[in-house]
Amino acid sequence: MGRVVGGLIRLAFTAWIAFFVGALAYAASRRRQAPPRPAEDSNEIALAATFEPLEFRSTAPAFRGGTVECWFGGGEVDLTGATLDASGATLRATAVFGGGSLIVPDGWQVENRVVGIFGGIGDGRDRVPEPGAPRLVLEGVALFGGWGIVSGSQNGGAAGGTT
């Protein structure tokens, strides 16, 4: 019985190492394909942090969303200076062994559709937005990583955005 358990533990450890090495190789290929950094006033963004920090502050006049990928890296995506598009926005977030903070204005609704696998996303905001408030939908995956959602007022007094 002990030999079987020992064999299963070695198999699980080997599979974990193979997965981790595969994720590193994929992250390295994603880094080479990283999109150029968008302008702060872009209404759609494509951000990537692979083996590095991410700092982005949006001042978009009609933010519609985009993508944020964090592979073995992460940081902050600050949307407090952005105004959501009238129809709302969808942000696709991927966090693999990484992640960070998503900073939104106090009044925004944030709908979490992120799937967490040994990771996840947490909304740490104190206030509940009013019904009919601008809506940001978060979609994606958090694998051994994740995102924290905070409001501008919880982030050291960052300026609140307009809605």
Side-chain angles (χ1 to χ4, degrees):
M1 181 71 161
R3 292 174 55 106
V4 172
V5 171
L8 289 174
I9 290 172
R10 281 189 297 281
L11 179 63
F13 182 73
T14 302
W16 168 251
I17 295 297
F19 169 76
F20 190 77
V21 169
L24 282 170
Y26 185 75
S29 74
R30 293 295 299 153
R31 183 175 180 147
R32 289 188 294 274
Q33 301 168 5
R37 185 178 178 88
E40 288 185 354
D41 63 349
S42 295
N43 290 322
E44 293 188 24
I45 60 173
L47 298 169
T50 306
F51 305 114
E52 62 190 359
L54 171 68
E55 297 294 327
F56 182 77
R57 185 174 187 337
S58 176
T59 59
F63 186 74
R64 291 186 295 272
T67 60
V68 179
E69 292 186 31
C70 293
W71 291 81
F72 299 91
E76 287 185 354
V77 177
D78 184 349
L79 301 176
T80 56
T83 301
L84 278 181
D85 187 74
S87 62
T90 300
L91 188 62
R92 286 166 296 287
T94 302
V96 179
F97 294 100
S101 295
L102 178 64
I103 307 165
V104 299
D106 288 328
W108 285 14
Q109 292 183 40
V110 180
E111 184 179 333
N112 176 13
R113 296 182 189 168
V114 174
V115 175
I117 304 168
F118 298 106
I121 190 164
D123 192 339
R125 296 175 298 153
D126 295 330
R127 292 161 121 197
V128 176
E130 299 284 326
R135 179 182 303 260
L136 174 65
V137 176
L138 294 176
E139 298 177 341
V141 66
L143 179 63
F144 296 98
W147 291 95
I149 304 167
V150 296
S151 67
S153 62
Q154 293 171 308
N155 191 45
T162 58
T163 54

